[in-house]
């Protein structure tokens, strides 16, 4: 008689779906590099090295003259005003639009919910620069162009995110109010809004950070502000002024990030409640009042007039352009060109994300805050080090960390079109400079997100491996990397969705893809072709969103 078998030990199995996706990703990256001409050997432009050197040397000698400082201050105020007012309108539109997108509103009527989400996907799928070019044709040179170019796509994105936040909060209070006889609106106001308020407020301030960068991008296409001044200085080859603009952009981005992060940290770690009475958080109250004051100042500074949005000229122009754009063009040559441009756009975005992800994985470990590194990777070694040696190691780590974080901040502060123009000094025209420019910019964003993801990992597995005598590389491979793969790839896929929209921006400036085709159609006033190109762009964006969602499900 055989002995009774004990409980079967769990066996680790490889996920075939994950391996299939990994192989597919490698094949797509190789296909994209081949399509961009990276293997042809004719991508470098040696004649531009001298100009690139002059540009790099300009970083050490920014233009700090009194006249240019005055120009920078005025340009910065314009950029801040566009960003603040655009973000405020986007948050307002998002709050109202969330009511139409949340599952609570539609209940079991799934068809209506899907239709509402599809309607919002159209403004969400177009880049702010595209909205700016379309609005210029309707409103002319009006401050509303810069404001609405931010508010329309950001409002659609905010509506979707706000609806998702409301759908994800615990529904006990909401259902209890319904059972007590309250209406749906009252139940949502008191049962869903309070638990979601922190997430909603944090996302609203995050949108303000993003609006600063978008305001700079709009300036590159003529909306004014720091982006416009940067474009003028670049066109006239005044590298000292270019670097002054870059440093001003960096300082503005730092201010926006610090303010937004302070609010989010306050929301995630509120002060302890004293006594039985609930009190308003004074810091958050002042932050909200400051945001309202900034919005009011932006309205006054830009001198926007709502009447111009509905005056006779604007209505006639909308009707005129709609008549020109319909029916959309379905000519064979245009569809063929759209197919080739769509392939270029996808390849550009894939190269950008591959470069950014690889760079983020390599650099993020150096950007992680010391508390994480001390308690997770070297907890047992620090006490054995002599005091002087340990101080030198800590100082060296702080210097490296500061340099890496500063470099990542600089990469994401400079808009992708500027990186594309710089890369064109040493690369031949094509989709590769645009892809690398997007990759450099996305590396700045993804590097920061990856570093924050590493800091939030549970340090106990890495600490246990260190105590057992594992080497630093072993701790990283078995204690950190397996748990960091999911968040890092989730961020990379999210940035891919953003990059597919940003390809239009560099394309508008000649880097190829759908953006270049759209720019040509706008310059020749071929509005049927413009409508067809925008339709293809929205469909491509939706397709990338679906593929990204499916990939995230596999990674989880």
């Amino acid at each position: 008689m055989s002995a009774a078998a004990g409980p079967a030990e769990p066996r680790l199995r490889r996920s075939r779906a994950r391996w299939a996706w990994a192989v597919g990703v490698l094949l797509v990256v190789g296909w994209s590099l081949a399509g961009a001409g990276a293997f042809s050997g004719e991508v470098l432009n040696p004649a531009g090295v001298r100009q690139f050197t002059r540009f790099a040397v300009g970083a050490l000698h920014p233009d700090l003259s009194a006249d240019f400082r005055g120009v920078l201050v005025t340009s910065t105020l314009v950029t801040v005003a566009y960003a603040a007012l655009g973000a405020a309108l986007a948050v307002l539109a998002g709050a109202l639009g969330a009511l139409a997108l949340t599952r609570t509103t539609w209940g079991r009527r799934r068809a209506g919910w899907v239709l509402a989400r599809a309607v919002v996907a159209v403004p969400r799928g177009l880049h702010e620069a595209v909205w700016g070019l379309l609005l210029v044709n309707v409103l002319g040179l009006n401050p509303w162009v810069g404001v609405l170019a931010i508010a329309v796509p950001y409002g659609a994105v905010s509506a979707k995110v706000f609806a998702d936040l409301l759908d994800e909060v615990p529904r006990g209070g909401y259902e209890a109010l319904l059972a007590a006889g309250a209406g749906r609106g009252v139940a949502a106001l008191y049962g869903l809004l309070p638990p979601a308020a922190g997430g909603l407020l944090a996302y609203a301030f995050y949108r303000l950070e993003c609006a600063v960068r978008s305001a700079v991008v709009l300036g590159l296409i003529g909306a004014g502000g720091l982006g416009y001044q940067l474009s003028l200085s670049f066109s006239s080859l005044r590298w000292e002024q270019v670097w002054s603009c870059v440093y001003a952009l960096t300082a503005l981005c730092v201010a926006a990030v610090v303010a937004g992060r302070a609010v989010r940290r306050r929301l995630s770690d509120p002060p302890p409640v004293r006594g039985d009475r609930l009190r308003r958080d004074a810091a958050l109250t002042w932050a909200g009042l400051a945001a309202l004051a900034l919005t009011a100042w932006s309205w006054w500074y830009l001198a926007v007039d709502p009447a111009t949005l509905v005056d006779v000229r604007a209505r006639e122009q909308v009707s005129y352009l709609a008549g020109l754009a319909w029916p959309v063009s379905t000519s064979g040559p245009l569809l063929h060109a759209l197919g080739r441009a769509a392939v270029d756009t996808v390849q550009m975005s894939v190269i950008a994300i591959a470069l950014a992800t690889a760079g983020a994985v390599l650099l993020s470990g150096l950007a992680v805050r010391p508390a994480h590194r001390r308690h997770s990777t070297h907890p047992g070694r620090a006490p054995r080090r002599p005091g002087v040696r340990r101080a030198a190691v800590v100082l060296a780590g702080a210097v490296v960390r500061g340099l890496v974080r500063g470099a990542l901040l600089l990469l994401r502060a400079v808009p992708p079109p500027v990186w594309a123009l710089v890369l064109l000094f040493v690369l031949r025209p094509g989709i590769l400079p645009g892809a690398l420019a997007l990759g450099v910019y996305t590396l700045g964003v993804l590097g920061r997100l990856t570093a924050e993801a590493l800091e939030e990992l549970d340090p106990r597995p890495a600490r246990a491996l260190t105590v057992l005598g594992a080497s630093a590389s072993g701790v990283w491979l078995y204690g950190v990397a397996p748990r960091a793969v999911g968040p890092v790839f989730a961020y990379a896929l999210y940035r891919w969705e953003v990059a597919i929209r940003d390809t239009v921006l560099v394309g508008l400036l000649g880097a190829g893809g759908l953006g270049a085709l759209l720019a040509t159609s706008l310059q020749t006033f071929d509005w049927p072709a413009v409508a067809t190109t925008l339709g293809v762009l929205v469909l491509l964006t939706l397709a990338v969103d679906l593929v990204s969602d499916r990939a995230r499900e596999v990674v989880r």
Side-chain angles (χ1 to χ4, degrees):
M1 189 175 190
S2 61
E9 295 183 359
R11 295 182 61 186
L12 296 177
R13 297 178 183 274
R14 290 187 176 89
S15 171
R16 293 182 178 178
R18 291 185 179 183
W19 277 100
W21 274 89
V23 173
V25 167
L26 292 177
L27 291 176
V28 171
V29 171
W31 167 71
S32 300
L33 288 171
F39 305 134
S40 65
E42 299 178 354
V43 296
L44 298 177
N45 177 26
V49 173
R50 183 177 180 183
Q51 195 65 259
F52 181 81
T53 304
R54 292 183 60 195
F55 168 79
V57 171
L60 304 176
H61 308 283
D63 188 346
L64 300 177
S65 63
D67 292 341
F68 197 68
R69 287 205 306 269
V71 172
L72 282 181
V73 171
T74 304
S75 300
T76 302
L77 292 178
V78 172
T79 299
V80 171
Y82 277 135
L85 190 53
L89 293 179
V91 171
L92 178 61
L96 297 175
L99 299 177
L101 298 182
T102 180
R103 292 179 184 274
T104 305
T105 301
W106 295 100
R108 297 181 178 179
R109 294 168 292 180
R110 184 172 175 79
W113 177 76
V114 172
L115 180 61
R117 295 250 169 174
V119 170
V120 173
V122 176
R124 191 165 57 90
L126 299 181
H127 194 276
E128 303 90 87
V130 176
W131 279 109
L133 292 173
L134 296 176
L135 289 167
V136 162
N137 286 276
V138 175
L139 300 173
L141 298 178
N142 190 295
W144 275 117
V145 172
V147 175
L148 292 181
I150 295 174
V152 172
Y154 277 22
V157 174
S158 299
K160 178 179 180 296
V161 174
F162 286 174
D164 290 343
L165 289 173
L166 289 173
D167 286 337
E168 290 175 2
V169 298
R171 306 179 68 79
Y174 171 77
E175 292 173 356
L177 288 170
L178 285 180
R184 283 180 174 271
V186 174
L189 184 63
Y190 292 99
L192 296 180
L193 189 58
L200 298 175
L201 187 59
Y203 187 78
F205 275 90
Y206 169 71
R207 272 294 137 197
L208 178 60
E209 299 175 24
C210 299
V212 171
R213 287 189 281 270
S214 295
V216 174
V217 168
L218 290 170
L220 291 172
I221 60 172
L226 275 175
Y228 182 65
Q229 188 56 47
L230 180 61
S231 177
L232 288 179
S233 300
F234 209 104
S235 301
S236 57
L237 305 182
R238 297 180 180 177
W239 307 129
E240 294 80 7
Q241 293 185 0
V242 168
W243 279 104
S244 299
C245 294
V246 168
Y247 292 144
L249 280 175
T250 305
L252 189 58
C253 288
V254 168
V257 169
V258 169
R261 183 176 296 178
V263 171
R264 291 197 295 273
R265 285 183 176 174
R266 189 76 176 188
L267 287 168
S268 62
D269 187 19
V273 178
R274 297 179 180 177
D276 298 332
R277 294 183 60 187
L278 294 177
R279 298 177 184 275
R280 291 189 181 89
D281 189 328
L284 292 179
T285 301
W286 279 109
L289 291 175
L292 290 176
L294 183 60
T295 304
W297 170 83
S298 302
W299 187 286
W300 168 82
Y301 188 77
L302 294 176
V304 291
D305 181 6
T308 58
L309 298 177
V310 292
D311 63 9
V312 176
R313 183 191 176 282
R315 284 180 289 167
E316 289 180 351
Q317 195 67 7
V318 169
S319 177
Y320 175 69
L321 294 178
L324 289 178
W326 186 263
V328 299
S329 176
T330 56
S331 67
L334 176 63
L335 295 180
H336 179 70
L338 283 172
R340 294 189 61 180
V343 170
D344 289 346
T345 299
V346 171
Q347 290 177 334
M348 205 185 306
S349 66
V350 169
I351 295 172
I353 290 304
L355 171 66
T357 305
V361 170
L362 292 174
L363 295 178
S364 58
L366 301 175
V368 173
R369 289 182 298 178
H372 170 77
R373 302 187 71 163
R374 185 170 57 250
H375 293 301
S376 63
T377 59
H378 307 288
R381 298 180 180 179
R384 294 197 296 266
R385 289 190 179 119
V388 176
R389 183 180 177 186
R390 173 166 171 71
V393 170
V394 170
L395 178 61
V399 172
V400 171
R401 186 168 52 257
L403 291 175
V404 172
R405 286 192 168 234
L408 293 176
L409 177 62
L410 183 64
L411 294 182
R412 63 176 180 268
V414 178
V418 177
W419 286 121
L421 294 173
V422 171
L423 289 170
L424 279 174
F425 289 146
V426 293
L427 296 175
R428 297 187 183 279
I431 66 172
L432 189 58
L436 295 181
L438 281 175
V440 168
Y441 171 77
T442 307
L443 171 59
V445 180
L446 201 55
R448 170 196 162 196
L449 294 174
T450 304
E452 291 178 352
L454 292 178
E455 290 173 355
E456 293 173 359
L457 291 178
D458 185 355
R460 288 175 295 181
R463 185 185 304 167
L465 288 171
T466 303
V467 172
L468 291 173
S471 63
S473 59
V475 170
W476 192 89
L477 283 175
Y478 295 99
V480 178
R483 291 172 302 120
V485 167
V488 170
F489 275 95
Y491 283 133
L493 291 168
Y494 166 71
R495 289 306 307 182
W496 184 38
E497 299 174 11
V498 177
I500 200 73
R501 299 178 180 87
D502 287 347
T503 54
V504 179
L505 179 59
V506 294
L508 287 172
L509 299 176
L514 288 172
L517 199 58
L518 179 63
T520 303
S521 301
L522 286 170
Q523 290 166 0
T524 56
F525 303 102
D526 188 356
W527 287 99
V530 170
T532 306
T533 305
L534 293 180
V536 172
L537 183 59
V538 171
L539 290 177
L540 185 61
T541 303
L542 290 176
V544 169
D545 288 355
L546 292 175
V547 173
S548 178
D549 283 341
R550 177 60 184 150
R552 272 195 289 266
E553 290 179 3
V554 173
V555 171
R556 289 191 189 109

